[in-house]
Amino acid sequence: MESLRFDEPGQWSGEYRARHRWHLPGVECPRCGAWVGMGAYPSVDLSALAEPAFDEVRGPTSFAEYMRLVALVRPLLPTGIPLEGGTSFGPMSGTARGRFGPVTCYPSWRMLLREDAVELLKAEGLQGVIAVRMALKSPRSTMPALYELEARPLAKLHPDCIGEFKTPPCPVCGRPEMFDLPPKRWLLRSSIPEGLDAFGIEGANPRVVSERFVEVLQRLGPSDVRYQELPAE
């Protein structure tokens, strides 16, 4: 699932400005250099840590400081979930205006769901839908609540579609494998989480949803997003 191109006409006027509550800084790694990712786990609550370093968005910090902060956060994440420098945590807060469709993908690595979409997905029993309510102020008192969908990067692209132009993961700071998103891509079948209707891809922005997910949301009308079939081998 991805947003429409800038030159494609949309049906919805909704726009927002918001940020997550807490942030892990990027890192100046002695092996792979300075880097910052864009991951987010809005369902993860860091309030019990009482660590001021998480309260502001910062550029890459020293390796020692980064590893100290990672050690604080890691126990709060589910087992097996990757943690990157620059990852954000907690619900988003900010402002919003206009009218939003059932699902919004903007920017490309973030998916928002309208409140009735979340309710319908849950009523239909879909799995893996981790929707966190956003705290948004709006001039429209009747604007429905919006939720951010936490798409945990559980699946992987097939190595054959990534090709040779990739950077291996860093054994020092834990930076994951990096690559340019190929125009033609498919999933590694053995990495697909069984029984989930929504999840992310390790090292890539597009969100993956099941056919059932699409069918249910389409009952609420059109959204300014594009669905593309993603095969697996």
Side-chain angles (χ1 to χ4, degrees), residues 42-71:
S43 69
V44 176
D45 185 356
L46 303 189
S47 59
L49 297 181
E51 171 54 65
F54 295 128
D55 293 336
E56 56 181 298
V57 179
R58 295 187 294 162
T61 190
S62 70
F63 179 72
E65 172 67 359
Y66 174 76
M67 296 306 292
R68 182 185 75 85
L69 296 174
V70 167

Side-chain angles (χ1 to χ4, degrees), residues 14 26 28 36 66 75 80 84 87 96 105 121 128 159 161-162 171 184 189 221:
E28 295 178 357
V36 178
Y66 174 76
E84 303 179 9
T87 298
C105 285
L121 290 169
C161 73
I162 298 175
K184 183 178 181 181
R189 186 179 300 276

